[in-house]
Amino acid sequence: MQKIRNIAIIAHVDHGKTTLVDKILHSCSIFRDNESTGELILDNNDLERERGITIVSKNVSVQYKDVKINIIDTPGHADFGGEVERVLKMADGVLILCDAFEGAMPQTRFVTQKALALGLKPIVVVNKVDKENCRPEEVYEQIFELFFNLEATEDQLDFQVIYGSSKQGWMSTDWKVPTDNIFPLMDAILENIPPAPIQEGTLQMQITSLDYSSFVGRIAVGRVARGTIKENMPVSLVKRDGKIVKSRIKELYTFEGLGKVKVTEVSSGDICAVVGIEGFDIGDTIADFNNPEQLEVIHIDEPTMNMLFTINNSPFFGKEGKFVTSQRLRERLYKEMEKNLALKVVETESPDAYLVYGRGILHLSVLIETMRREGYEMQVGQPQVIVKMIDGVKCEPVETLIVDVPGEVAGKVIELVTQRKGDLLIMEPKGDLQHLEFEIPARGIIGLRNNVLTATAGEAIMAHRFKAYEPWKGPIPGRGNGVLISMDKGMTTAYAIDKLQDRGRFFIDPGVDIYEGQILGEHIRDNDLVINITKGKQLTNMRASGTDDNVRIAPAIKFSLEECMEYIQADEYIEVTPASIRLRKIYLTENERKVNGKKFVNQ
């Protein structure tokens, strides 16, 4: 039997998980000496590289001292918590990574709680000890306290701690004595993480993630919990609802380095990829053909937010996208639901619109951005939090919000958060920053980040996580200003924009095609204003002194997709196409808006 260790790496976003996996891969000689690999090897899709974050968990394996170590790299954003929850089932231990300055952040707490509840053995890695102002001892104390508060067992509280810098490629048991390699961490994994248990008996394997190949279709990935799985073996697929489907395994692969290697059989404890099973979902169990026994179904926390996805019905419909029909939109959303467990799609009364439930704005925006790059064209509405009736009381999701800011602007942040029904719980110094903790309704966080960053000149560090459902906190003020709406269809002119600059700030440059009902900018007052910026200058053969000055236009404000999602109100849509993102009113003509305006007043 091959000696195997299965570990998941969990941490808050930007604490260095993917960088650490890079260094482990390099130090275990996965690559040839002359091979060029670049950085963040595992963040291999375009969106992950552009944003510098991990979105989908990935599996790799390395050999160290004749032991195979399966490593699962997980996302750090709370919005992708569903990814972490399901892959922890494949691990026997976890590396909990912490920044030596920031300490245990909200997402660290969230995934650590899940890992400890599953009984996994932790190793704590205090990373980035080369940073200025770092405080490794304090962070160690903080993590011990966190474990204690999360009701860790005595064995889990007796954790090994390793200090180091993933970026510089060293780890050590003492942060004041740097080494020149990361082998102290690898040795700690072998000593502290229990070997994958060998369980004899009939086959049991839970599908915890999906892979896809254009040659063989969907591939089931999971860990063999009991028995042995073999090529060409007849099996039973036990669905989440207990239904049993008979099937046969065509091919088996195990993970080696960054790729997969074909094998004939896999024993309990190892992670493998199975080809040939049809119609499976995450959480299903591959079991013995004659006596199928189901493993406990993976429980994923509920989504906290929803958005309306609908087909694009603007005047520019079909100009830029390949997939524009409601049938295509429906197929794509349901396909996403198969692998994205924290996502839920519900059909509405309209055949062209779907309510998509997710974990947060980032979770939904990554889905929209991915679809947009695939050639889909659609419109999305304002994100809404999910309200529940609990014991006859209207309740809404409340989040814990943590903000680290320079002391002189802490007052501005507190003011912005309390306006949105946030309560200040903790205020304490943290290095040269002020550490603030709030409880705030999830509704209040939508649109808050931009305001906080503006008020603090971009110096605030914000993080939040779902806490619980609590009674409704009352109305929260929305956007302060109205918008500038186009009166006509045509091309914008510099002359018209220049003449209307004192009315507000524009989102549109000159020389852009626009349509009636499109949102062109933000009004300086709180009401909406209909304007015409397609008007050109009347040309005559008369010249007047002073009127032919050069046009001076302030640069247009460009929103990212998330900023658009936080900006729009209930009576507005974002039109998303592969080439552009536009804001528009749901009702395009002024007459329709007057007739239907009352619908949105109470929202």
Side-chain angles (χ1 to χ4, degrees):
M1 273 298 298
Q2 157 154 266
K3 298 177 218 155
I4 298 171
R5 303 281 191 281
N6 297 317
I7 56 162
I9 299 188
I10 57 179
H12 189 78
V13 64
D14 267 351
H15 281 197
K17 294 179 297 300
T18 308
T19 309
L20 178 62
V21 177
D22 281 6
K23 292 295 185 271
I24 292 174
L25 291 172
H26 281 292
S27 61
C28 292
S29 309
I30 292 291
F31 308 107
R32 299 189 309 275
D33 293 342
N34 62 351
E35 196 169 346
S36 156
T37 55
E39 290 184 346
L40 303 179
I41 303 160
L42 288 194
D43 285 352
N44 50 13
N45 76 34
D46 293 345
L47 259 181
E48 289 182 321
R49 287 197 168 276
E50 282 167 29
R51 290 167 182 253
I53 59 173
T54 303
I55 294 170
V56 184
S57 54
K58 326 242 181 359
N59 297 30
V60 290
S61 83
V62 295
Q63 290 282 137
Y64 180 70
K65 292 188 177 173
D66 296 333
V67 177
K68 178 181 183 182
I69 303 175
N70 284 316
I71 302 169
I72 306 155
D73 182 25
T74 62
H77 272 281
D79 285 30
F80 308 114
E83 284 283 317
V84 185
E85 286 167 66
R86 62 184 173 80
V87 297
L88 285 178
K89 284 279 182 104
M90 295 198 278
D92 297 303
V94 284
L95 289 187
I96 296 170
L97 214 65
C98 251
D99 186 301
F101 171 66
E102 291 183 357
M105 295 288 277
Q107 179 66 6
T108 322
R109 183 190 178 93
F110 170 78
V111 284
T112 304
Q113 188 172 2
K114 301 279 177 198
L116 295 178
L118 286 168
L120 302 179
K121 176 78 178 168
I123 293 178
V124 172
V125 181
V126 179
N127 193 20
K128 305 192 183 184
V129 296
D130 53 320
K131 272 171 90 167
E132 285 179 38
N133 302 337
C134 70
R135 40 195 194 110
E137 276 102 354
E138 277 178 57
V139 169
Y140 171 73
E141 296 293 331
Q142 200 183 356
I143 292 171
F144 187 85
E145 203 174 304
L146 171 69
F147 277 35
F148 186 75
N149 293 341
L150 294 176
E151 297 173 0
T153 61
E154 296 233 341
D155 183 43
Q156 288 171 329
L157 281 172
D158 182 24
F159 57 83
Q160 166 90 40
V161 63
I162 300 282
Y163 301 94
S165 164
S166 304
K167 199 164 189 182
Q168 295 179 353
W170 66 268
M171 291 284 155
S172 170
T173 48
D174 182 351
W175 69 279
K176 292 173 185 151
V177 187
T179 61
D180 57 358
N181 57 47
I182 63 162
F183 296 136
L185 171 63
M186 306 302 286
D187 293 329
I189 290 172
L190 299 193
E191 286 163 28
N192 294 280
I193 304 292
I198 301 165
Q199 290 200 9
E200 300 296 336
T202 54
L203 171 66
Q204 272 188 317
M205 169 183 159
Q206 190 158 45
I207 299 168
T208 43
S209 63
L210 295 179
D211 209 342
Y212 184 80
S213 150
S214 47
F215 297 110
V216 295
R218 292 165 78 227
I219 302 169
V221 178
R223 170 181 164 177
V224 183
R226 191 176 74 190
T228 306
I229 188 166
K230 298 178 181 170
E231 207 173 34
N232 286 325
M233 179 181 186
V235 291
S236 299
L237 180 69
V238 186
K239 306 289 289 174
R240 290 172 77 103
D241 56 7
K243 202 170 123 199
I244 295 172
V245 182
K246 301 296 183 190
S247 189
R248 181 180 288 275
I249 287 158
K250 288 182 185 159
E251 292 175 348
L252 276 178
Y253 294 86
T254 55
F255 292 88
E256 195 168 295
L258 291 174
K260 298 188 194 79
V261 179
K262 192 172 177 186
V263 291
T264 52
E265 67 174 65
V266 179
S267 302
S268 66
D270 204 355
I271 296 171
C272 67
V274 178
V275 174
I277 290 178
E278 296 293 323
F280 63 83
D281 292 304
I282 289 172
D284 294 352
T285 306
I286 299 173
D288 187 63
F289 187 77
N290 298 319
N291 317 320
E293 290 177 60
Q294 186 174 17
L295 283 162
E296 187 190 345
V297 175
I298 300 171
H299 171 71
I300 295 285
D301 287 1
E302 289 287 306
T304 56
M305 194 172 274
N306 67 21
M307 277 178 87
L308 188 75
F309 279 55
T310 177
I311 58 165
N312 186 9
N313 60 1
S314 81
F316 293 169
F317 154 79
K319 282 188 176 180
E320 296 167 353
K322 275 195 298 189
F323 309 120
V324 294
T325 61
S326 57
Q327 174 68 19
R328 288 289 202 162
L329 181 65
R330 182 180 189 280
E331 280 171 9
R332 179 67 182 81
L333 289 174
Y334 276 90
K335 186 178 162 197
E336 184 68 26
M337 224 170 37
E338 289 176 356
K339 64 175 190 290
N340 198 333
L341 277 199
L343 198 78
K344 203 166 91 185
V345 179
V346 176
E347 301 197 9
T348 63
E349 293 165 6
S350 160
D352 297 334
Y354 303 90
L355 270 179
V356 179
Y357 291 75
R359 279 281 177 88
I361 286 208
L362 187 65
H363 187 201
L364 293 166
S365 77
V366 164
L367 168 64
I368 296 167
E369 184 63 45
T370 309
M371 290 172 65
R372 175 186 173 207
R373 292 178 183 212
E374 290 169 7
Y376 286 84
E377 203 173 282
M378 65 202 142
Q379 293 179 151
V380 293
Q382 185 189 26
Q384 304 281 352
V385 298
I386 296 165
V387 178
K388 289 183 179 175
M389 295 301 285
I390 302 173
D391 300 331
V393 179
K394 183 182 180 186
C395 293
E396 64 174 332
V398 170
E399 308 228 345
T400 302
L401 171 70
I402 293 180
V403 190
D404 291 335
V405 285
E408 63 273 12
V409 288
K412 289 181 185 171
V413 175
I414 294 169
E415 185 186 344
L416 283 168
V417 177
T418 46
Q419 278 172 2
R420 291 164 172 260
K421 300 282 191 281
D423 297 325
L424 180 64
L425 305 178
I426 296 172
M427 183 174 181
E428 58 190 17
K430 177 178 174 183
D432 53 357
L433 298 176
Q434 201 71 26
H435 176 77
L436 310 172
E437 282 190 31
F438 303 90
E439 270 182 15
I440 181 172
R443 290 177 297 145
I445 289 180
I446 300 173
L448 178 66
R449 184 178 295 272
N450 271 356
N451 296 348
V452 167
L453 289 176
T454 306
T456 60
E459 291 202 34
I461 301 165
M462 278 177 71
H464 56 90
R465 69 183 170 87
F466 173 68
K467 178 177 170 267
Y469 270 85
E470 291 182 8
W472 183 261
K473 307 269 188 195
I476 289 176
R479 187 173 67 204
N481 296 34
V483 287
L484 303 173
I485 306 166
S486 170
M487 178 193 290
D488 212 352
K489 187 176 176 181
M491 188 179 278
T492 57
T493 65
Y495 171 77
I497 292 176
D498 180 44
K499 290 285 176 265
L500 289 164
Q501 279 192 113
D502 57 344
R503 299 288 183 183
R505 308 179 306 159
F506 281 93
F507 308 152
I508 297 278
D509 290 312
V512 174
D513 279 324
I514 57 167
Y515 53 81
E516 183 180 4
Q518 188 175 334
I519 294 171
L520 307 173
E522 184 175 81
H523 192 197
I524 51 170
R525 299 215 172 102
D526 60 1
N527 62 314
D528 292 349
L529 182 70
V530 179
I531 58 170
N532 180 0
I533 60 168
T534 60
K535 194 168 57 177
K537 185 178 177 186
Q538 295 299 317
L539 296 177
T540 68
N541 56 2
M542 302 289 287
R543 294 181 67 80
S545 65
T547 58
D548 287 338
D549 288 344
N550 286 337
V551 172
R552 290 193 186 89
I553 299 176
I557 297 165
K558 299 293 181 194
F559 281 157
S560 69
L561 181 57
E562 278 107 62
E563 287 168 338
C564 287
M565 288 161 74
E566 293 188 341
Y567 185 77
I568 62 167
Q569 299 296 297
D571 63 337
E572 294 161 4
Y573 277 156
I574 308 168
E575 180 188 347
V576 182
T577 72
S580 42
I581 296 174
R582 301 183 188 94
L583 301 180
R584 55 160 285 186
K585 288 287 182 184
I586 293 179
Y587 295 102
L588 294 178
T589 67
E590 195 171 1
N591 207 20
E592 281 180 315
R593 286 197 293 277
K594 280 179 180 163
V595 172
N596 296 289
K598 290 190 177 68
K599 278 188 192 177
F600 304 106
V601 172
N602 301 323
Q603 291 199 14

